[in-house]
PDB file of all heavy atoms in Angstrom:
ATOM      1  N   PRO A1055     -26.017  17.686  46.225  1.00 96.00           N
ATOM      2  CA  PRO A1055     -26.476  18.397  47.436  1.00 96.00           C
ATOM      3  C   PRO A1055     -26.366  19.920  47.352  1.00 96.00           C
ATOM      4  O   PRO A1055     -27.092  20.634  48.050  1.00 96.00           O
ATOM      5  CB  PRO A1055     -25.571  17.833  48.544  1.00 96.00           C
ATOM      6  CG  PRO A1055     -24.462  17.105  47.854  1.00 96.00           C
ATOM      7  CD  PRO A1055     -24.990  16.680  46.536  1.00 96.00           C
ATOM      8  N   ASP A1056     -25.469  20.439  46.506  1.00 96.00           N
ATOM      9  CA  ASP A1056     -25.320  21.888  46.385  1.00 96.00           C
ATOM     10  C   ASP A1056     -26.242  22.505  45.339  1.00 96.00           C
ATOM     11  O   ASP A1056     -26.258  23.724  45.157  1.00 96.00           O
ATOM     12  CB  ASP A1056     -23.864  22.243  46.025  1.00 96.00           C
ATOM     13  CG  ASP A1056     -22.913  22.064  47.194  1.00 96.00           C
ATOM     14  OD1 ASP A1056     -23.405  22.039  48.344  1.00 96.00           O
ATOM     15  OD2 ASP A1056     -21.695  21.926  46.961  1.00 96.00           O
ATOM     16  N   TYR A1057     -27.018  21.668  44.639  1.00 95.00           N
ATOM     17  CA  TYR A1057     -27.854  22.209  43.566  1.00 95.00           C
ATOM     18  C   TYR A1057     -28.927  23.181  44.069  1.00 95.00           C
ATOM     19  O   TYR A1057     -29.148  24.222  43.436  1.00 95.00           O
ATOM     20  CB  TYR A1057     -28.502  21.077  42.760  1.00 95.00           C
ATOM     21  CG  TYR A1057     -29.403  21.592  41.666  1.00 95.00           C
ATOM     22  CD1 TYR A1057     -28.868  22.217  40.535  1.00 95.00           C
ATOM     23  CD2 TYR A1057     -30.789  21.490  41.765  1.00 95.00           C
ATOM     24  CE1 TYR A1057     -29.692  22.725  39.540  1.00 95.00           C
ATOM     25  CE2 TYR A1057     -31.617  21.987  40.767  1.00 95.00           C
ATOM     26  CZ  TYR A1057     -31.064  22.606  39.655  1.00 95.00           C
ATOM     27  OH  TYR A1057     -31.876  23.106  38.676  1.00 95.00           O
ATOM     28  N   PRO A1058     -29.630  22.892  45.182  1.00 95.00           N
ATOM     29  CA  PRO A1058     -30.632  23.875  45.655  1.00 95.00           C
ATOM     30  C   PRO A1058     -30.038  25.264  45.875  1.00 95.00           C
ATOM     31  O   PRO A1058     -30.687  26.285  45.574  1.00 95.00           O
ATOM     32  CB  PRO A1058     -31.130  23.257  46.972  1.00 95.00           C
ATOM     33  CG  PRO A1058     -30.899  21.785  46.792  1.00 95.00           C
ATOM     34  CD  PRO A1058     -29.629  21.668  46.018  1.00 95.00           C
ATOM     35  N   LYS A1059     -28.808  25.305  46.393  1.00 95.00           N
ATOM     36  CA  LYS A1059     -28.146  26.595  46.604  1.00 95.00           C
ATOM     37  C   LYS A1059     -27.883  27.288  45.264  1.00 95.00           C
ATOM     38  O   LYS A1059     -28.106  28.491  45.102  1.00 95.00           O
ATOM     39  CB  LYS A1059     -26.827  26.369  47.346  1.00 95.00           C
ATOM     40  CG  LYS A1059     -26.170  27.646  47.871  1.00 95.00           C
ATOM     41  CD  LYS A1059     -24.765  27.378  48.404  1.00 95.00           C
ATOM     42  CE  LYS A1059     -24.770  26.344  49.527  1.00 95.00           C
ATOM     43  NZ  LYS A1059     -23.394  26.138  50.070  1.00 95.00           N
ATOM     44  N   LEU A1060     -27.422  26.494  44.261  1.00 95.00           N
ATOM     45  CA  LEU A1060     -27.167  27.054  42.946  1.00 95.00           C
ATOM     46  C   LEU A1060     -28.462  27.542  42.306  1.00 95.00           C
ATOM     47  O   LEU A1060     -28.505  28.621  41.706  1.00 95.00           O
ATOM     48  CB  LEU A1060     -26.493  25.999  42.056  1.00 95.00           C
ATOM     49  CG  LEU A1060     -26.258  26.399  40.588  1.00 95.00           C
ATOM     50  CD1 LEU A1060     -25.298  27.578  40.498  1.00 95.00           C
ATOM     51  CD2 LEU A1060     -25.720  25.214  39.783  1.00 95.00           C
ATOM     52  N   TRP A1061     -29.523  26.755  42.443  1.00 94.00           N
ATOM     53  CA  TRP A1061     -30.814  27.139  41.868  1.00 94.00           C
ATOM     54  C   TRP A1061     -31.288  28.466  42.459  1.00 94.00           C
ATOM     55  O   TRP A1061     -31.795  29.341  41.748  1.00 94.00           O
ATOM     56  CB  TRP A1061     -31.841  26.036  42.138  1.00 94.00           C
ATOM     57  CG  TRP A1061     -33.158  26.261  41.460  1.00 94.00           C
ATOM     58  CD1 TRP A1061     -33.515  25.899  40.196  1.00 94.00           C
ATOM     59  CD2 TRP A1061     -34.303  26.924  42.019  1.00 94.00           C
ATOM     60  NE1 TRP A1061     -34.805  26.287  39.925  1.00 94.00           N
ATOM     61  CE2 TRP A1061     -35.322  26.926  41.019  1.00 94.00           C
ATOM     62  CE3 TRP A1061     -34.575  27.523  43.248  1.00 94.00           C
ATOM     63  CZ2 TRP A1061     -36.560  27.491  41.237  1.00 94.00           C
ATOM     64  CZ3 TRP A1061     -35.830  28.096  43.459  1.00 94.00           C
ATOM     65  CH2 TRP A1061     -36.805  28.068  42.463  1.00 94.00           C
ATOM     66  N   ALA A1062     -31.115  28.632  43.764  1.00 94.00           N
ATOM     67  CA  ALA A1062     -31.525  29.884  44.433  1.00 94.00           C
ATOM     68  C   ALA A1062     -30.715  31.068  43.907  1.00 94.00           C
ATOM     69  O   ALA A1062     -31.249  32.173  43.702  1.00 94.00           O
ATOM     70  CB  ALA A1062     -31.347  29.740  45.943  1.00 94.00           C
ATOM     71  N   MET A1063     -29.413  30.836  43.682  1.00 93.00           N
ATOM     72  CA  MET A1063     -28.573  31.923  43.155  1.00 93.00           C
ATOM     73  C   MET A1063     -29.011  32.309  41.741  1.00 93.00           C
ATOM     74  O   MET A1063     -29.110  33.495  41.403  1.00 93.00           O
ATOM     75  CB  MET A1063     -27.106  31.479  43.114  1.00 93.00           C
ATOM     76  CG  MET A1063     -26.425  31.382  44.464  1.00 93.00           C
ATOM     77  SD  MET A1063     -24.700  30.870  44.244  1.00 93.00           S
ATOM     78  CE  MET A1063     -24.192  30.702  45.958  1.00 93.00           C
ATOM     79  N   ARG A1064     -29.265  31.303  40.901  1.00 92.00           N
ATOM     80  CA  ARG A1064     -29.696  31.589  39.529  1.00 92.00           C
ATOM     81  C   ARG A1064     -31.030  32.337  39.516  1.00 92.00           C
ATOM     82  O   ARG A1064     -31.240  33.265  38.711  1.00 92.00           O
ATOM     83  CB  ARG A1064     -29.827  30.283  38.739  1.00 92.00           C
ATOM     84  CG  ARG A1064     -28.491  29.635  38.383  1.00 92.00           C
ATOM     85  CD  ARG A1064     -28.721  28.250  37.810  1.00 92.00           C
ATOM     86  NE  ARG A1064     -27.521  27.660  37.248  1.00 92.00           N
ATOM     87  CZ  ARG A1064     -27.451  26.411  36.809  1.00 92.00           C
ATOM     88  NH1 ARG A1064     -28.526  25.630  36.859  1.00 92.00           N
ATOM     89  NH2 ARG A1064     -26.339  25.940  36.295  1.00 92.00           N
ATOM     90  N   LYS A1065     -31.918  31.925  40.408  1.00 91.00           N
ATOM     91  CA  LYS A1065     -33.214  32.601  40.495  1.00 91.00           C
ATOM     92  C   LYS A1065     -33.024  34.056  40.905  1.00 91.00           C
ATOM     93  O   LYS A1065     -33.666  34.965  40.350  1.00 91.00           O
ATOM     94  CB  LYS A1065     -34.101  31.873  41.504  1.00 91.00           C
ATOM     95  CG  LYS A1065     -35.511  32.456  41.599  1.00 91.00           C
ATOM     96  CD  LYS A1065     -36.352  31.713  42.628  1.00 91.00           C
ATOM     97  CE  LYS A1065     -37.743  32.324  42.726  1.00 91.00           C
ATOM     98  NZ  LYS A1065     -38.542  31.677  43.800  1.00 91.00           N
ATOM     99  N   ALA A1066     -32.118  34.271  41.866  1.00 91.00           N
ATOM    100  CA  ALA A1066     -31.851  35.635  42.316  1.00 91.00           C
ATOM    101  C   ALA A1066     -31.274  36.485  41.181  1.00 91.00           C
ATOM    102  O   ALA A1066     -31.627  37.662  41.028  1.00 91.00           O
ATOM    103  CB  ALA A1066     -30.891  35.607  43.504  1.00 91.00           C
ATOM    104  N   VAL A1067     -30.397  35.898  40.363  1.00 90.00           N
ATOM    105  CA  VAL A1067     -29.826  36.613  39.217  1.00 90.00           C
ATOM    106  C   VAL A1067     -30.928  37.021  38.255  1.00 90.00           C
ATOM    107  O   VAL A1067     -30.983  38.171  37.790  1.00 90.00           O
ATOM    108  CB  VAL A1067     -28.768  35.736  38.504  1.00 90.00           C
ATOM    109  CG1 VAL A1067     -28.411  36.335  37.140  1.00 90.00           C
ATOM    110  CG2 VAL A1067     -27.521  35.602  39.358  1.00 90.00           C
ATOM    111  N   ARG A1068     -31.837  36.093  37.949  1.00 88.00           N
ATOM    112  CA  ARG A1068     -32.921  36.404  37.006  1.00 88.00           C
ATOM    113  C   ARG A1068     -33.840  37.490  37.556  1.00 88.00           C
ATOM    114  O   ARG A1068     -34.292  38.367  36.816  1.00 88.00           O
ATOM    115  CB  ARG A1068     -33.717  35.136  36.695  1.00 88.00           C
ATOM    116  CG  ARG A1068     -32.956  34.139  35.838  1.00 88.00           C
ATOM    117  CD  ARG A1068     -33.879  33.063  35.272  1.00 88.00           C
ATOM    118  NE  ARG A1068     -34.381  32.176  36.303  1.00 88.00           N
ATOM    119  CZ  ARG A1068     -33.766  31.046  36.683  1.00 88.00           C
ATOM    120  NH1 ARG A1068     -32.618  30.696  36.131  1.00 88.00           N
ATOM    121  NH2 ARG A1068     -34.296  30.284  37.614  1.00 88.00           N
ATOM    122  N   GLU A1069     -34.104  37.417  38.856  1.00 87.00           N
ATOM    123  CA  GLU A1069     -34.979  38.428  39.465  1.00 87.00           C
ATOM    124  C   GLU A1069     -34.315  39.796  39.457  1.00 87.00           C
ATOM    125  O   GLU A1069     -34.973  40.816  39.205  1.00 87.00           O
ATOM    126  CB  GLU A1069     -35.338  38.001  40.891  1.00 87.00           C
ATOM    127  CG  GLU A1069     -36.331  36.844  40.931  1.00 87.00           C
ATOM    128  CD  GLU A1069     -36.624  36.379  42.348  1.00 87.00           C
ATOM    129  OE1 GLU A1069     -35.895  36.809  43.271  1.00 87.00           O
ATOM    130  OE2 GLU A1069     -37.569  35.579  42.521  1.00 87.00           O
ATOM    131  N   MET A1070     -33.001  39.849  39.745  1.00 86.00           N
ATOM    132  CA  MET A1070     -32.280  41.126  39.707  1.00 86.00           C
ATOM    133  C   MET A1070     -32.296  41.728  38.297  1.00 86.00           C
ATOM    134  O   MET A1070     -32.499  42.924  38.115  1.00 86.00           O
ATOM    135  CB  MET A1070     -30.828  40.932  40.163  1.00 86.00           C
ATOM    136  CG  MET A1070     -30.655  40.800  41.669  1.00 86.00           C
ATOM    137  SD  MET A1070     -28.909  40.743  42.140  1.00 86.00           S
ATOM    138  CE  MET A1070     -28.372  42.407  41.742  1.00 86.00           C
ATOM    139  N   GLN A1071     -32.100  40.838  37.304  1.00 83.00           N
ATOM    140  CA  GLN A1071     -32.080  41.331  35.924  1.00 83.00           C
ATOM    141  C   GLN A1071     -33.452  41.824  35.483  1.00 83.00           C
ATOM    142  O   GLN A1071     -33.552  42.730  34.646  1.00 83.00           O
ATOM    143  CB  GLN A1071     -31.595  40.216  34.983  1.00 83.00           C
ATOM    144  CG  GLN A1071     -30.109  39.894  35.149  1.00 83.00           C
ATOM    145  CD  GLN A1071     -29.702  38.659  34.368  1.00 83.00           C
ATOM    146  OE1 GLN A1071     -30.489  37.731  34.198  1.00 83.00           O
ATOM    147  NE2 GLN A1071     -28.452  38.629  33.929  1.00 83.00           N
ATOM    148  N   GLY A1072     -34.506  41.248  36.057  1.00 77.00           N
ATOM    149  CA  GLY A1072     -35.850  41.625  35.653  1.00 77.00           C
ATOM    150  C   GLY A1072     -36.438  42.774  36.455  1.00 77.00           C
ATOM    151  O   GLY A1072     -37.465  43.339  36.068  1.00 77.00           O
ATOM    152  N   HIS A1073     -35.798  43.125  37.577  1.00 77.00           N
ATOM    153  CA  HIS A1073     -36.376  44.170  38.444  1.00 77.00           C
ATOM    154  C   HIS A1073     -35.312  45.186  38.864  1.00 77.00           C
ATOM    155  O   HIS A1073     -35.189  45.540  40.024  1.00 77.00           O
ATOM    156  CB  HIS A1073     -37.001  43.545  39.703  1.00 77.00           C
ATOM    157  CG  HIS A1073     -38.098  42.563  39.405  1.00 77.00           C
ATOM    158  ND1 HIS A1073     -37.870  41.225  39.243  1.00 77.00           N
ATOM    159  CD2 HIS A1073     -39.422  42.762  39.213  1.00 77.00           C
ATOM    160  CE1 HIS A1073     -39.020  40.607  38.971  1.00 77.00           C
ATOM    161  NE2 HIS A1073     -39.976  41.522  38.940  1.00 77.00           N
ATOM    162  N   ARG A1074     -34.542  45.619  37.898  1.00 70.00           N
ATOM    163  CA  ARG A1074     -33.520  46.610  38.229  1.00 70.00           C
ATOM    164  C   ARG A1074     -34.171  47.948  38.555  1.00 70.00           C
ATOM    165  O   ARG A1074     -35.077  48.401  37.847  1.00 70.00           O
ATOM    166  CB  ARG A1074     -32.563  46.778  37.034  1.00 70.00           C
ATOM    167  CG  ARG A1074     -31.450  47.769  37.367  1.00 70.00           C
ATOM    168  CD  ARG A1074     -30.558  48.028  36.169  1.00 70.00           C
ATOM    169  NE  ARG A1074     -29.578  49.048  36.501  1.00 70.00           N
ATOM    170  CZ  ARG A1074     -28.730  49.578  35.647  1.00 70.00           C
ATOM    171  NH1 ARG A1074     -28.764  49.184  34.375  1.00 70.00           N
ATOM    172  NH2 ARG A1074     -27.861  50.496  36.017  1.00 70.00           N
ATOM    173  N   ARG A1075     -33.714  48.554  39.652  1.00 68.00           N
ATOM    174  CA  ARG A1075     -34.252  49.858  40.058  1.00 68.00           C
ATOM    175  C   ARG A1075     -33.350  50.982  39.561  1.00 68.00           C
ATOM    176  O   ARG A1075     -32.126  50.873  39.603  1.00 68.00           O
ATOM    177  CB  ARG A1075     -34.337  49.935  41.585  1.00 68.00           C
ATOM    178  CG  ARG A1075     -35.313  48.937  42.179  1.00 68.00           C
ATOM    179  CD  ARG A1075     -35.247  48.988  43.682  1.00 68.00           C
ATOM    180  NE  ARG A1075     -36.106  47.990  44.302  1.00 68.00           N
ATOM    181  CZ  ARG A1075     -36.102  47.731  45.611  1.00 68.00           C
ATOM    182  NH1 ARG A1075     -35.289  48.385  46.421  1.00 68.00           N
ATOM    183  NH2 ARG A1075     -36.908  46.806  46.089  1.00 68.00           N
ATOM    184  N   ARG A1076     -33.969  52.033  39.107  1.00 64.00           N
ATOM    185  CA  ARG A1076     -33.193  53.191  38.670  1.00 64.00           C
ATOM    186  C   ARG A1076     -32.442  53.793  39.857  1.00 64.00           C
ATOM    187  O   ARG A1076     -32.961  53.869  40.957  1.00 64.00           O
ATOM    188  CB  ARG A1076     -34.106  54.259  38.071  1.00 64.00           C
ATOM    189  CG  ARG A1076     -34.665  53.870  36.715  1.00 64.00           C
ATOM    190  CD  ARG A1076     -35.341  55.060  36.069  1.00 64.00           C
ATOM    191  NE  ARG A1076     -35.808  54.727  34.733  1.00 64.00           N
ATOM    192  CZ  ARG A1076     -36.376  55.610  33.917  1.00 64.00           C
ATOM    193  NH1 ARG A1076     -36.541  56.851  34.321  1.00 64.00           N
ATOM    194  NH2 ARG A1076     -36.763  55.244  32.706  1.00 64.00           N
ATOM    195  N   GLY A1077     -31.231  54.203  39.567  1.00 64.00           N
ATOM    196  CA  GLY A1077     -30.444  54.837  40.619  1.00 64.00           C
ATOM    197  C   GLY A1077     -29.747  53.858  41.538  1.00 64.00           C
ATOM    198  O   GLY A1077     -29.126  54.279  42.513  1.00 64.00           O
ATOM    199  N   ASP A1078     -29.873  52.557  41.268  1.00 71.00           N
ATOM    200  CA  ASP A1078     -29.199  51.552  42.100  1.00 71.00           C
ATOM    201  C   ASP A1078     -27.745  51.477  41.663  1.00 71.00           C
ATOM    202  O   ASP A1078     -27.369  50.726  40.747  1.00 71.00           O
ATOM    203  CB  ASP A1078     -29.894  50.193  41.935  1.00 71.00           C
ATOM    204  CG  ASP A1078     -29.354  49.160  42.916  1.00 71.00           C
ATOM    205  OD1 ASP A1078     -28.318  49.442  43.552  1.00 71.00           O
ATOM    206  OD2 ASP A1078     -29.960  48.082  43.032  1.00 71.00           O
ATOM    207  N   ALA A1079     -26.896  52.242  42.340  1.00 69.00           N
ATOM    208  CA  ALA A1079     -25.491  52.380  41.921  1.00 69.00           C
ATOM    209  C   ALA A1079     -24.729  51.072  42.039  1.00 69.00           C
ATOM    210  O   ALA A1079     -23.807  50.798  41.284  1.00 69.00           O
ATOM    211  CB  ALA A1079     -24.807  53.466  42.762  1.00 69.00           C
ATOM    212  N   GLY A1080     -25.085  50.252  43.006  1.00 79.00           N
ATOM    213  CA  GLY A1080     -24.326  49.012  43.208  1.00 79.00           C
ATOM    214  C   GLY A1080     -24.874  47.822  42.463  1.00 79.00           C
ATOM    215  O   GLY A1080     -24.436  46.680  42.694  1.00 79.00           O
ATOM    216  N   TYR A1081     -25.811  48.078  41.525  1.00 82.00           N
ATOM    217  CA  TYR A1081     -26.487  46.972  40.830  1.00 82.00           C
ATOM    218  C   TYR A1081     -25.512  46.050  40.120  1.00 82.00           C
ATOM    219  O   TYR A1081     -25.541  44.827  40.300  1.00 82.00           O
ATOM    220  CB  TYR A1081     -27.502  47.553  39.833  1.00 82.00           C
ATOM    221  CG  TYR A1081     -28.083  46.543  38.881  1.00 82.00           C
ATOM    222  CD1 TYR A1081     -29.122  45.697  39.262  1.00 82.00           C
ATOM    223  CD2 TYR A1081     -27.574  46.412  37.586  1.00 82.00           C
ATOM    224  CE1 TYR A1081     -29.658  44.765  38.382  1.00 82.00           C
ATOM    225  CE2 TYR A1081     -28.110  45.480  36.698  1.00 82.00           C
ATOM    226  CZ  TYR A1081     -29.140  44.663  37.105  1.00 82.00           C
ATOM    227  OH  TYR A1081     -29.654  43.738  36.245  1.00 82.00           O
ATOM    228  N   HIS A1082     -24.635  46.633  39.321  1.00 82.00           N
ATOM    229  CA  HIS A1082     -23.725  45.801  38.514  1.00 82.00           C
ATOM    230  C   HIS A1082     -22.765  45.013  39.393  1.00 82.00           C
ATOM    231  O   HIS A1082     -22.471  43.845  39.108  1.00 82.00           O
ATOM    232  CB  HIS A1082     -22.946  46.675  37.524  1.00 82.00           C
ATOM    233  CG  HIS A1082     -23.784  47.155  36.385  1.00 82.00           C
ATOM    234  ND1 HIS A1082     -24.312  46.317  35.426  1.00 82.00           N
ATOM    235  CD2 HIS A1082     -24.206  48.409  36.047  1.00 82.00           C
ATOM    236  CE1 HIS A1082     -25.020  47.007  34.552  1.00 82.00           C
ATOM    237  NE2 HIS A1082     -24.981  48.296  34.905  1.00 82.00           N
ATOM    238  N   ASP A1083     -22.269  45.632  40.460  1.00 86.00           N
ATOM    239  CA  ASP A1083     -21.353  44.917  41.364  1.00 86.00           C
ATOM    240  C   ASP A1083     -22.054  43.744  42.032  1.00 86.00           C
ATOM    241  O   ASP A1083     -21.505  42.638  42.118  1.00 86.00           O
ATOM    242  CB  ASP A1083     -20.808  45.873  42.432  1.00 86.00           C
ATOM    243  CG  ASP A1083     -19.783  46.852  41.864  1.00 86.00           C
ATOM    244  OD1 ASP A1083     -19.259  46.549  40.767  1.00 86.00           O
ATOM    245  OD2 ASP A1083     -19.531  47.877  42.501  1.00 86.00           O
ATOM    246  N   LYS A1084     -23.280  43.980  42.509  1.00 87.00           N
ATOM    247  CA  LYS A1084     -24.042  42.899  43.153  1.00 87.00           C
ATOM    248  C   LYS A1084     -24.309  41.767  42.175  1.00 87.00           C
ATOM    249  O   LYS A1084     -24.154  40.590  42.509  1.00 87.00           O
ATOM    250  CB  LYS A1084     -25.385  43.442  43.679  1.00 87.00           C
ATOM    251  CG  LYS A1084     -25.290  44.387  44.847  1.00 87.00           C
ATOM    252  CD  LYS A1084     -26.687  44.903  45.198  1.00 87.00           C
ATOM    253  CE  LYS A1084     -26.605  46.036  46.194  1.00 87.00           C
ATOM    254  NZ  LYS A1084     -27.949  46.627  46.442  1.00 87.00           N
ATOM    255  N   LEU A1085     -24.740  42.144  40.961  1.00 89.00           N
ATOM    256  CA  LEU A1085     -25.054  41.127  39.948  1.00 89.00           C
ATOM    257  C   LEU A1085     -23.811  40.331  39.576  1.00 89.00           C
ATOM    258  O   LEU A1085     -23.857  39.094  39.482  1.00 89.00           O
ATOM    259  CB  LEU A1085     -25.641  41.800  38.702  1.00 89.00           C
ATOM    260  CG  LEU A1085     -26.170  40.854  37.605  1.00 89.00           C
ATOM    261  CD1 LEU A1085     -27.309  39.992  38.135  1.00 89.00           C
ATOM    262  CD2 LEU A1085     -26.623  41.654  36.389  1.00 89.00           C
ATOM    263  N   ASP A1086     -22.676  41.011  39.396  1.00 90.00           N
ATOM    264  CA  ASP A1086     -21.436  40.318  39.020  1.00 90.00           C
ATOM    265  C   ASP A1086     -20.984  39.369  40.121  1.00 90.00           C
ATOM    266  O   ASP A1086     -20.525  38.249  39.839  1.00 90.00           O
ATOM    267  CB  ASP A1086     -20.326  41.338  38.729  1.00 90.00           C
ATOM    268  CG  ASP A1086     -20.552  42.068  37.400  1.00 90.00           C
ATOM    269  OD1 ASP A1086     -21.399  41.591  36.609  1.00 90.00           O
ATOM    270  OD2 ASP A1086     -19.907  43.109  37.171  1.00 90.00           O
TER     271      ASP A1086
END
Side-chain angles (χ1 to χ4, degrees):
D1056 287 340
Y1057 178 71
K1059 191 189 302 182
L1060 175 63
W1061 186 87
M1063 287 181 185
R1064 288 171 171 173
K1065 184 181 179 184
V1067 167
R1068 289 194 291 270
E1069 287 177 349
M1070 283 186 68
Q1071 290 171 328
H1073 300 91
R1074 182 184 176 186
R1075 296 175 184 172
R1076 288 191 176 184
D1078 188 349
Y1081 169 80
H1082 287 293
D1083 287 342
K1084 291 177 190 175
L1085 187 61
D1086 287 346

